[in-house]
Amino acid sequence: MASGGRRGTGSSPPINCPENERGPFPKKLVQIKSNKDKETKVFYSITGQGADTPPVGVFTIERETGWLEVTKPLDREEMDKYILFSHAVSANGQPVEDPMEIIITVTDQNDNRPVFTEAVFHSSVREGAKPGTPVLRVLATDADDAVSSTNGVVVYSILRQTPEQPQPHMFAIDSSTGAISVAAAGLVAQSVPEYTLQIQATDMEGYGLRATATVLIKVEAEGMSEAVKGSLTTHVLNTATGLPAAGLAIRLAQLQEPEPQWTELVERWTDEDGRCLPLLAQGQAKAGTYKLRFETAAYWQGQGHASFYPFVEVVFTIADPAQKLHIPLLISPYSYTTYRGS
């Protein structure tokens, strides 16, 4: 038994069926033919997911001709592959061949636009930061196929910077990773305390559907008390290179009682020294349980490595809010170490 010809039993070549087809339905896909149809009258049936198990009835087969048909538009994001089995029997119901596996692959159309993980991203950068200083990394996801097509491949860009002082291109974005960095010198908190960036994510490698988001970047004045003093600080070292880990996202959350629930307090990004502004300013700490989450996967991806740990979470307790706490993190693609510092 074979599809589209006469071959041995077993399985047929994969059948590609585009998603979102308009019909009319039912639509013929391929004709199943038994090697025994010259000897006896053969009747065909199919079983499997999409035939007689949920979702039932997506595929049918003409009992006498063996034409396999699809009865409705398919959605690759709901199911990207169906595995069916065709059966051939004689008039008395006895099998004339072994069942044949049929794999139907749903091919992608660009029917999903990118979606940013946040509508508004927040970050900060110290005034006087040099070009190349990491600020933050934005992320947009796309449900379409990014492996065998470009439909789900997202490209990032900056559409607008407000204000355009001292020049309109103070920041740059990596089109592939979404990492935003300082592009030009001249960040002065007194002149421009905050920048607003309108960013865009476009699929099909920049030629498809689009989505926008906002980035608010606060410029921290040199020497301001928050930058110098803090009750909770950290720094991150890349042990594979022996250099600071720059551009790594860090989130601080606190466990709220009586119903245990984590509440995010702040997000920071490490600078070229692997450090960031204090996660808790002086006097801001309260007794309780906290969690530092280091987004290591995105950092290692930007370094061209895969990470065994998608993130690192350090849960700790502050017993004495008046005491300064420093929690360093040492990372490699396959290990990490943390400890209480001073």
Side-chain angles (χ1 to χ4, degrees):
M1 185 163 53
S3 60
R6 300 179 184 276
R7 293 191 300 274
T9 60
S11 62
S12 69
I15 301 168
N16 292 329
C17 185
E19 68 172 340
N20 303 326
E21 286 200 306
R22 294 185 177 181
F25 295 100
K27 182 176 181 179
K28 288 180 170 60
L29 295 178
V30 69
Q31 188 176 23
I32 307 299
K33 298 292 288 183
S34 170
N35 292 326
K36 305 294 185 180
D37 66 350
K38 297 297 184 181
E39 306 170 12
T40 184
K41 181 68 174 178
V42 176
F43 298 95
Y44 301 92
S45 63
I46 55 173
T47 57
Q49 193 172 21
D52 62 342
T53 61
V56 175
V58 177
F59 300 97
T60 60
I61 192 168
E62 292 182 355
R63 185 168 180 264
E64 295 190 10
T65 66
W67 271 105
L68 180 65
E69 300 175 330
V70 59
T71 65
K72 58 184 287 188
L74 304 180
D75 187 344
R76 190 197 69 87
E77 285 71 48
E78 291 183 359
M79 186 171 295
D80 62 357
K81 182 172 65 174
Y82 295 84
I83 299 178
L84 306 174
F85 291 90
S86 64
H87 306 267
V89 300
S90 61
N92 62 9
Q94 293 299 312
V96 297
E97 290 192 50
D98 292 333
M100 181 179 70
E101 183 183 64
I102 303 172
I103 299 176
I104 299 175
T105 300
V106 184
T107 55
D108 189 45
Q109 289 187 345
N110 190 30
D111 57 346
N112 292 278
R113 66 180 61 251
V115 177
F116 278 101
T117 55
E118 299 180 42
V120 181
F121 295 86
H122 297 267
S123 190
S124 61
V125 63
R126 296 183 184 181
E127 68 174 351
K130 299 177 181 179
T133 300
V135 180
L136 80 159
R137 190 188 304 272
V138 298
L139 176 64
T141 60
D142 194 302
D144 288 314
D145 184 10
V147 177
S148 57
S149 76
T150 63
N151 293 341
V153 179
V154 175
V155 169
Y156 300 93
S157 60
I158 297 176
L159 299 178
R160 188 176 300 108
Q161 169 194 302
T162 306
E164 297 183 343
Q165 299 173 1
Q167 58 172 290
H169 302 292
M170 294 299 295
F171 301 92
I173 189 169
D174 187 296
S175 61
S176 299
T177 66
I180 296 176
S181 59
V182 176
L187 293 172
V188 179
Q190 187 173 1
S191 300
V192 182
E194 186 175 70
Y195 287 91
T196 300
L197 304 181
Q198 184 182 13
I199 58 173
Q200 179 174 271
T202 309
D203 61 18
M204 293 189 71
E205 294 185 326
Y207 296 96
L209 302 175
R210 303 173 180 179
T212 58
T214 300
V215 178
L216 301 179
I217 303 173
K218 184 178 180 181
V219 181
E220 301 285 2
E222 187 72 26
M224 63 185 297
S225 59
E226 184 185 10
V228 176
K229 301 178 181 179
S231 56
L232 175 62
T233 56
T234 185
H235 76 267
V236 186
L237 177 67
N238 179 340
T239 59
T241 62
L243 299 173
L248 192 148
I250 305 171
R251 292 182 171 90
L252 175 68
Q254 183 178 11
L255 187 63
Q256 303 293 338
E257 301 290 354
E259 294 183 2
Q261 182 176 356
W262 291 105
T263 299
E264 186 168 315
L265 302 179
V266 69
E267 180 181 15
R268 295 278 192 257
W269 291 79
T270 56
D271 58 20
E272 64 271 24
D273 296 322
R275 301 178 183 273
C276 63
L277 293 171
L279 295 141
L280 291 175
Q282 191 174 36
Q284 187 182 3
K286 298 179 181 179
T289 302
Y290 294 80
K291 176 174 65 177
L292 278 175
R293 178 183 171 112
F294 300 83
E295 301 294 345
T296 51
Y299 168 77
W300 287 116
Q301 182 181 9
Q303 299 293 310
H305 298 285
S307 175
F308 183 71
Y309 301 97
F311 54 84
V312 172
E313 288 186 337
V314 180
V315 180
F316 58 96
T317 300
I318 294 181
D320 182 3
Q323 188 174 16
K324 180 180 177 180
L325 188 62
H326 183 66
I327 304 177
L329 180 70
L330 286 66
I331 58 171
S332 79
Y334 303 102
S335 65
Y336 67 88
T337 302
T338 186
Y339 56 93
R340 177 174 178 169
S342 60

